[in-house]
Amino acid sequence: VFLALNDLIDQYGLETKKVFAQNEELPDSIKAIDGNIYALPSINACYHCMHNLRAWINQTWLDKLDLKYPETTAEFEEVLKAFKEQDPNGNGKQDEIPMMGSQNAQQQIFPFLLNSFTYFVDDAYYILNDENKIEFVANSEEVREGLKWIKSLIDQGLIDPTSLTQTDEQLKQVGMDPNTVLIGVAPAFVWWNAFGQDQETPDQRSRNYVGLSPLEGPKGIRYAPLTGRAVQPDTFVITNACKYPEIAFRWADGLYNEEVTLRSQIGEEGINWDKPEAGATGINGKPALYIQRQRSDDDLNKLNSRMDNIMMANRTSDFRLAEMADYSDPETQWQIEPRLYNTTAEYYVPYADDEKAVPVLAFTEEEDRDRALYQTQINDHVKESIVMFLTGNKDLDQDWDTYVRELENLNLQEYLDILQTAYDRQYNK
């Protein structure tokens, strides 16, 4: 049904070849197992999405209690104890919640904290080791030691146990409590998932919080794992019903052009954006490409003048961060995109080790059928077991071996063999 695009790329892919040259994972990550490319990707190099397993710590409380910003698991535990016992919100009550999250993957407590013991990404549970072998980590001794430490924090009342079961909305209700600030630390992809945006709280609550870097564990481990990629595969195909595939391809190829990307993703000049003056800099300090106009979502929807996150485009990191940012204005640091960029650059990128992340894999039909079945069963077992270990419904000493054996019964080795076969076929050449 879908045409192979290889020859069209060779003959007409002016912009496509530039995109391939900009991304080291291309073209391998979009090749089918027969070596052909059947779909072009969209590029969205969202800098702050690449390492989004983060937490936010109340810097105001640290300052009030004269506490040092924690760098290790031991220092972090002492900070949580101080948050619990020393009344940092100043209301004379012991109502502070040292740490709280939710059951949502990006607000869960254990993925962030386990990266002080091993490289851990929720919903993957495997890494690429130094020998280019895919290695499962959710059954490792490092994960068990990490869970024991997290369980001890829960037992001491330093992590609220409702973090394992409550919804994002319930977390946000506590984080935005109108009477007082209650939370010391919250894991969250973005601050507003826990504390709201500036306009949602009269005290601009979220400005009390800064990013919490991965904590150095007992063996010196601290990772900010890779959680996103620039290449969004399978965005554009040409079917065998197309009368003029060369024209269809050249149109798609043109969508990667910077001017076209600016039009499709940012909108119309003078309506959605304006040209910056010479010398203006973007969010990342490089030359600015556009000044984003601030309009309400209703206005943008009525205008219908752009297709951001829909139309195929080449949004490189430099393109996304080329929005003008005037840091001489102190309010700029609190704007969403500058704050996300600077938080990621300061607190997370220094601890990245992206080589441990398994790249995008392509499977045969049979492989993918078995992989999907095994992955669902294995991931469900891991998630359910971790929660049970942390709530005390399972014991990390007495029940761990049973947990590991059950993973083997769920075809863990067959699952890893499929992943390894696909990886070797694509990347070990």
Side-chain angles (χ1 to χ4, degrees):
V1 175
F2 299 148
L3 301 183
L5 305 179
N6 305 49
D7 292 342
L8 293 170
I9 292 171
D10 288 342
Q11 188 171 358
Y12 301 111
L14 176 66
E15 301 291 342
T16 303
K17 291 173 185 175
K18 293 178 185 177
V19 168
F20 286 3
Q22 291 169 347
N23 295 272
E24 60 180 18
E25 57 188 293
L26 292 174
D28 283 351
S29 68
I30 60 170
K31 285 183 179 178
I33 59 173
D34 62 4
N36 286 325
I37 296 171
Y38 294 94
L40 293 179
S42 192
I43 306 300
N44 184 14
C46 171
Y47 184 83
H48 64 266
C49 302
M50 301 302 175
H51 301 96
N52 69 19
L53 198 58
R54 57 175 69 101
W56 305 85
I57 188 167
N58 194 318
Q59 183 66 52
T60 303
W61 284 9
L62 291 175
D63 295 340
K64 182 174 181 179
L65 301 180
D66 197 24
L67 298 170
K68 187 179 75 169
Y69 181 93
E71 298 285 355
T72 68
T73 51
E75 291 173 356
F76 181 64
E77 188 167 341
E78 291 305 309
V79 164
L80 294 184
K81 289 178 181 177
F83 283 175
K84 179 182 179 182
E85 298 167 358
Q86 298 182 28
D87 192 28
N89 67 13
N91 66 357
K93 304 176 183 178
Q94 198 176 64
D95 55 358
E96 290 85 356
I97 302 169
M99 185 174 189
M100 175 181 267
S102 79
Q103 63 179 332
N104 179 281
Q106 293 181 332
Q107 278 74 248
Q108 285 177 327
I109 56 170
F110 60 86
F112 175 80
L113 294 175
L114 283 176
N115 276 280
S116 300
F117 297 84
T118 188
Y119 194 96
F120 189 91
V121 182
D122 190 52
D123 277 340
Y125 308 128
Y126 51 76
I127 64 170
L128 190 67
N129 67 22
D130 294 339
E131 287 77 41
N132 284 337
K133 298 299 181 183
I134 296 176
E135 179 182 320
F136 200 70
V137 297
N139 59 354
S140 67
E141 195 59 31
E142 289 81 1
V143 164
R144 177 156 70 153
E145 289 306 308
L147 292 175
K148 284 183 177 181
W149 176 64
I150 298 170
K151 177 70 164 58
S152 76
L153 299 182
I154 294 173
D155 291 345
Q156 296 175 72
L158 304 181
I159 295 177
D160 193 301
T162 62
S163 302
L164 300 169
T165 56
Q166 72 177 352
T167 65
D168 287 353
E169 191 55 39
Q170 289 170 319
L171 168 65
K172 193 172 178 180
Q173 286 175 0
V174 178
M176 294 174 56
D177 187 288
N179 298 312
T180 189
V181 180
L182 294 173
I183 298 177
V185 180
F189 169 28
V190 288
W191 63 83
W192 59 85
N193 285 347
F195 314 110
Q197 293 281 26
D198 279 356
Q199 67 272 18
E200 294 183 84
T201 55
D203 58 357
Q204 296 180 314
R205 179 80 45 91
S206 76
R207 296 191 183 191
N208 292 334
Y209 296 84
V210 299
L212 176 64
S213 292
L215 301 156
E216 183 178 321
K219 296 182 180 178
I221 289 172
R222 59 193 311 190
Y223 289 122
L226 185 70
T227 53
R229 293 186 179 274
V231 176
Q232 312 293 311
D234 304 335
T235 303
F236 174 86
V237 296
I238 301 175
T239 75
N240 58 10
C242 180
K243 293 183 179 180
Y244 306 105
E246 298 86 355
I247 294 176
F249 177 83
R250 293 175 74 178
W251 174 78
D253 181 74
L255 296 178
Y256 287 138
N257 177 272
E258 184 179 89
E259 181 181 353
V260 180
T261 292
L262 184 62
R263 177 65 184 81
S264 69
Q265 304 301 307
I266 311 300
E268 293 184 75
E269 183 180 357
I271 295 177
N272 304 97
W273 62 277
D274 299 297
K275 284 184 179 178
E277 296 180 0
T281 55
I283 292 168
N284 59 357
K286 297 181 180 181
L289 182 63
Y290 53 91
I291 302 172
Q292 184 90 51
R293 287 198 178 187
Q294 300 301 317
R295 288 177 172 268
S296 70
D297 288 341
D298 285 344
D299 288 340
L300 292 173
N301 290 335
K302 290 173 185 175
L303 287 170
N304 194 28
S305 57
R306 67 187 196 193
M307 298 182 73
D308 48 316
N309 293 321
I310 300 173
M311 181 66 76
M312 190 173 82
N314 183 24
R315 286 197 285 175
T316 63
S317 184
D318 281 345
F319 177 88
R320 285 187 57 116
L321 298 172
E323 178 184 346
M324 195 190 81
D326 179 11
Y327 287 110
S328 66
D329 180 351
E331 282 299 303
T332 297
Q333 65 179 310
W334 301 113
Q335 293 174 3
I336 291 176
E337 292 295 332
R339 188 177 180 187
L340 286 171
Y341 168 76
N342 290 309
T343 295
T344 305
E346 180 176 356
Y347 296 106
Y348 299 99
V349 170
Y351 307 104
D353 188 351
D354 296 351
E355 297 302 312
K356 291 187 179 298
V358 177
V360 176
L361 301 177
F363 304 97
T364 67
E365 184 176 353
E366 181 180 1
E367 287 171 346
D368 201 41
R369 183 186 65 240
D370 292 341
R371 179 204 61 83
L373 174 63
Y374 298 155
Q375 177 177 288
T376 299
Q377 295 174 339
I378 289 167
N379 284 6
D380 287 349
H381 177 58
V382 171
K383 289 178 184 177
E384 292 168 3
S385 297
I386 285 179
V387 171
M388 294 182 77
F389 283 130
L390 293 179
T391 56
N393 291 314
K394 285 186 177 181
D395 186 271
L396 282 159
D397 289 319
Q398 297 178 9
D399 298 319
W400 184 259
D401 290 344
T402 302
Y403 158 71
V404 171
R405 283 195 301 272
E406 185 58 30
L407 284 170
E408 296 168 359
N409 294 336
L410 293 172
N411 301 295
L412 175 60
Q413 190 56 55
E414 291 85 346
Y415 175 54
L416 294 176
D417 289 344
I418 291 172
L419 299 176
Q420 190 68 52
T421 297
Y423 178 82
D424 290 341
R425 185 169 56 219
Q426 262 175 286
Y427 301 101
N428 271 343
K429 298 175 182 177

